[in-house]
Amino acid sequence: MSKIYPVGIQSFEEIRRGGYCYIDKTSLIYQLVKTGKYYFLSRPRRFGKSLLISTLEAYFLGKKELFQGLAMEGLEKDWTTYPVLHLDLNARKYEDAASLTAILNQHLESWEALYGDEKKDRAPEERFAWIIEKACRATGRNVVVLVDEYDKPMLQAIGNEPLLTDYRNTLKAFYGVLKSCDKYLRFALLTGVTKFSKVSVFSDLNNLMDISIDDRFASICGITERELHRDFKEDIAMLAQKNHLTEDEAKLQLKEQYDGYHFVEDSEDIYNPFSLLNTFAKMKFGSYWFETGTPTFLVELLQRSKYDLHRLTEEMATADSLGGIDTMYMNPVPILYQSGYLTIKGYDREFRTYELGFPNQEVEEGFTKFLLPNYASLPSGNLSFEIMNFVKEVRSGNIDAFMHRLQSFFADTPYELIRDLELHYQNVLFIVFKLLGFYTQAEYHTSYGRVDMVVKTDRYIYVMEFKLEGSAEEALRQINEKQYPLPFAADGRTLYKIGVNFSNATRGIEKWVVEGV
């Protein structure tokens, strides 16, 4: 196939001059620049924010030739050239206050080389304001400011409050220039993953229009199903052939793996562009997006806030709460949404609340696998080995083996979790049976501390009841008294009832009993 895919390439000019495939978003970009002046856009990492910034830069620099054959070519008539200040905070590791100062200095010095360095000894925000004014006066055109990953320093400082405060103060003053320099500006866009609202950029920049949850621009990043089927028709056919699938099966697998993002209620489905491009480039399905980033700080937030992981499958949130992450230590849901691990699944118009859930299988399976070693003890230390053997033991009917393995997951429960043992048990069970559900049919129900589970394989059905500080016999008795196996009476598979008891003294599974039917 002659098509080449811009995997990891975020330069619009390089994509266009290099002949890489490009999904035409320029009609939306034209609408963006013609209907407003100051914008903020939040999207998950690797979702096309940098490419959007790069495309806007090419547009405002008047590089008409790059837009040949795109919607913009027929929409824009003037092609005015503006001075563009492009601040990219993405390509650096922020470990201390000096690292942020260094990246700001790097950009400021390059702009000062063009427009004058009279203020080079002043604070970064003073230099920035002076450059904007000088660029406007020197060119006779108002200035365009494009900020890519505005929040990268603050995200890397989560958990280090003094450093986070330092970054917030520095960036608040720096970005605040965009308001004081209004008369010299033509356009400004800040992009990032999250929105630090109350004590950061947005407390001063109340003139920014947040288009993160805006149906006009919901698909400005990412690939819609219509775009996928229109622009990658031959690619899907080849993907199907390479993976011994029909085209319909390939489309279904692409949808299950990479689709499902919604950034506003009732929006069309949006696919993860990074995963799609990698899949077509390699002609192989994989967990491409998830493997490029390790959400360690998200797990820390989940544990610190004592979050019940069952809620991940049925979370609710208001529009206001999704807009900011200032309460992340108490409520990690907004940052899970903004980071792309949860997405909008439904909307209640009466109460103006969003239903949230995992967008697709890549995220659901990847995130759940990542959670396991952070919550459970893995005897071998090898995640894939533990999951594989657990699944094989369940499929083969080796109850003692998989129960011993489950018991081992609760070994060495950290001392600090003792006060929340019940939540810890439920969280580990959720993760384990969620993972099991990718290879079998696993259902779990919780209410008021009671957990019951049903696991189905091609040969076996396991009905399980868990007790805390009771007895395994009591759990088994409840299965029988409440007739949990009744729905499976006509099923030809072998059914086992398993009663399990958790003990706070041992901080894990104390005993299990098994009864066949």
Side-chain angles (χ1 to χ4, degrees):
M1 188 178 291
S2 59
K3 187 179 290 185
I4 50 177
Y5 305 95
V7 175
I9 299 175
Q10 299 166 339
S11 164
F12 177 70
E13 183 163 354
E14 185 179 350
I15 287 171
R16 297 296 289 163
R17 294 198 190 283
Y20 293 90
C21 67
Y22 173 73
I23 305 298
D24 189 359
K25 301 288 185 179
T26 60
S27 62
L28 284 174
I29 290 171
Y30 181 81
Q31 184 183 352
L32 188 74
V33 300
K34 296 300 183 182
T35 57
K37 182 175 178 179
Y38 300 112
Y39 293 103
F40 168 74
L41 176 68
S42 164
R43 284 292 182 269
R45 61 184 170 79
R46 301 276 188 171
F47 227 86
K49 300 186 298 294
S50 297
L51 178 57
L52 172 62
I53 289 279
S54 180
T55 309
L56 282 161
E57 183 175 24
Y59 167 78
F60 280 114
L61 289 175
K63 295 185 177 182
K64 181 179 179 180
E65 73 280 4
L66 298 179
F67 293 85
Q68 187 174 351
L70 301 179
M72 184 71 81
E73 183 183 34
L75 293 168
E76 184 56 73
K77 307 301 179 189
D78 298 332
W79 291 101
T80 305
T81 301
Y82 295 91
V84 176
L85 304 180
H86 179 180
L87 175 63
D88 183 1
L89 296 183
N90 198 35
R92 189 179 181 97
K93 190 169 179 64
Y94 298 92
E95 298 174 321
D96 51 36
S99 56
L100 176 57
T101 303
I103 197 81
L104 293 179
N105 276 334
Q106 179 184 322
H107 284 86
L108 288 166
E109 286 166 7
S110 67
W111 299 332
E112 286 167 340
L114 293 173
Y115 301 113
D117 63 358
E118 296 93 324
K119 306 280 187 179
K120 65 180 180 181
D121 297 323
R122 301 287 185 89
E125 63 271 16
E126 293 179 77
R127 294 164 67 190
F128 188 35
W130 176 248
I131 290 165
I132 291 173
E133 182 179 344
K134 281 295 295 289
C136 179
R137 295 190 188 283
T139 62
R141 302 280 183 194
N142 279 21
V143 177
V144 172
V145 175
L146 303 171
V147 182
D148 194 7
E149 304 290 3
Y150 91 97
D151 56 347
K152 186 75 174 284
M154 293 181 286
L155 275 177
Q156 291 190 357
I158 287 177
N160 182 343
E161 280 304 314
L163 186 59
L164 182 57
T165 300
D166 189 290
Y167 286 163
R168 277 172 165 161
N169 292 339
T170 299
L171 292 174
K172 179 179 180 180
F174 194 82
Y175 296 140
V177 168
L178 297 178
K179 190 168 184 180
S180 60
C181 288
D182 175 70
K183 64 182 178 180
Y184 302 115
L185 293 171
R186 159 66 182 89
F187 181 89
L189 171 65
L190 281 74
T191 70
V193 172
T194 57
K195 186 174 178 182
F196 289 84
S197 54
K198 291 179 184 173
V199 287
S200 185
V201 184
F202 303 96
S203 55
D204 289 341
L205 275 182
N206 53 14
N207 54 339
L208 278 180
M209 179 181 289
D210 187 351
I211 56 169
S212 306
I213 303 179
D214 187 325
D215 56 4
R216 296 174 301 163
F217 303 109
S219 61
I220 200 165
C221 293
I223 297 174
T224 66
E225 190 159 274
R226 180 176 49 84
E227 291 166 338
L228 172 65
H229 293 168
R230 181 194 68 199
D231 296 354
F232 294 95
K233 191 173 182 181
E234 298 84 0
D235 315 67
I236 293 171
M238 181 170 284
L239 179 70
Q241 182 185 344
K242 291 272 188 182
N243 290 272
H244 310 291
L245 302 168
T246 66
E247 286 189 35
D248 284 342
E249 287 171 339
K251 286 178 181 177
L252 180 61
Q253 192 162 341
L254 286 170
K255 190 173 186 66
E256 289 176 346
Q257 285 280 109
Y258 311 125
D259 191 18
Y261 286 94
H262 305 98
F263 301 108
V264 67
E265 66 271 18
D266 303 325
S267 81
E268 57 188 323
D269 287 357
I270 296 175
Y271 287 72
N272 185 314
F274 185 78
S275 293
L276 275 185
L277 292 174
N278 272 280
T279 299
F280 289 134
K282 298 178 181 181
M283 284 294 151
K284 184 179 179 181
F285 293 94
S287 297
Y288 300 110
W289 178 81
F290 196 89
E291 289 168 358
T292 61
T294 307
T296 308
F297 76 95
L298 290 178
V299 176
E300 292 169 359
L301 288 176
L302 288 170
Q303 293 176 329
R304 183 169 171 175
S305 64
K306 299 179 175 57
Y307 186 81
D308 181 351
L309 295 178
H310 289 85
R311 288 169 51 193
L312 289 171
T313 58
E314 51 184 15
E315 191 55 82
M316 303 287 290
T318 63
D320 289 343
S321 71
L322 289 183
I325 64 166
D326 304 286
T327 59
M328 61 186 168
Y329 295 119
M330 293 180 289
N331 178 18
V333 172
I335 200 166
L336 284 169
Y337 165 77
Q338 293 174 17
S339 301
Y341 298 96
L342 296 178
T343 196
I344 294 170
K345 291 293 187 181
Y347 184 64
D348 187 314
R349 296 189 182 279
E350 181 181 5
F351 297 102
R352 298 178 66 194
T353 55
Y354 293 100
E355 299 164 22
L356 304 177
F358 291 113
N360 52 47
Q361 188 174 322
E362 178 188 13
V363 176
E364 183 173 20
E365 188 169 353
F367 193 54
T368 310
K369 282 181 177 176
F370 185 77
L371 288 172
L372 184 60
N374 287 279
Y375 279 83
S377 170
L378 301 184
S380 68
N382 186 324
L383 174 64
S384 298
F385 175 83
E386 294 292 343
I387 295 171
M388 178 184 72
N389 283 291
F390 188 67
V391 171
K392 285 183 175 180
E393 289 157 0
V394 170
R395 283 177 176 169
S396 66
N398 194 341
I399 297 174
D400 274 350
F402 77 68
M403 283 304 302
H404 275 293
R405 194 173 302 277
L406 184 62
Q407 185 180 45
S408 73
F409 292 156
F410 292 92
D412 304 318
T413 297
Y415 182 78
E416 62 268 19
L417 290 176
I418 289 178
R419 291 184 192 171
D420 300 289
L421 274 177
E422 187 171 337
L423 177 63
H424 176 64
Y425 299 152
Q426 292 200 19
N427 279 340
V428 174
L429 287 173
F430 170 82
I431 296 167
V432 169
F433 283 89
K434 190 74 174 165
L435 288 172
L436 190 59
F438 294 121
Y439 307 96
T440 66
Q441 286 180 277
E443 302 167 5
Y444 36 86
H445 311 280
T446 66
S447 63
Y448 306 108
R450 195 204 76 216
V451 184
D452 59 87
M453 306 219 179
V454 177
V455 179
K456 303 174 191 174
T457 71
D458 58 342
R459 294 163 56 198
Y460 302 100
I461 297 175
Y462 305 98
V463 177
M464 309 176 72
E465 177 65 30
F466 295 84
K467 289 291 179 186
L468 174 60
E469 292 295 312
S471 71
E473 291 78 10
E474 181 189 348
L476 184 62
R477 191 161 55 248
Q478 181 173 321
I479 293 174
N480 289 320
E481 287 175 355
K482 297 204 172 182
Q483 297 185 313
Y484 290 162
L486 195 60
F488 314 110
D491 198 296
R493 288 172 282 191
T494 302
L495 189 143
Y496 288 107
K497 296 172 282 188
I498 306 173
V500 183
N501 184 57
F502 282 93
S503 164
N504 286 342
T506 61
R507 303 211 297 271
I509 294 176
E510 172 256 339
K511 184 181 178 183
W512 64 88
V513 291
V514 183
E515 186 178 285
V517 174

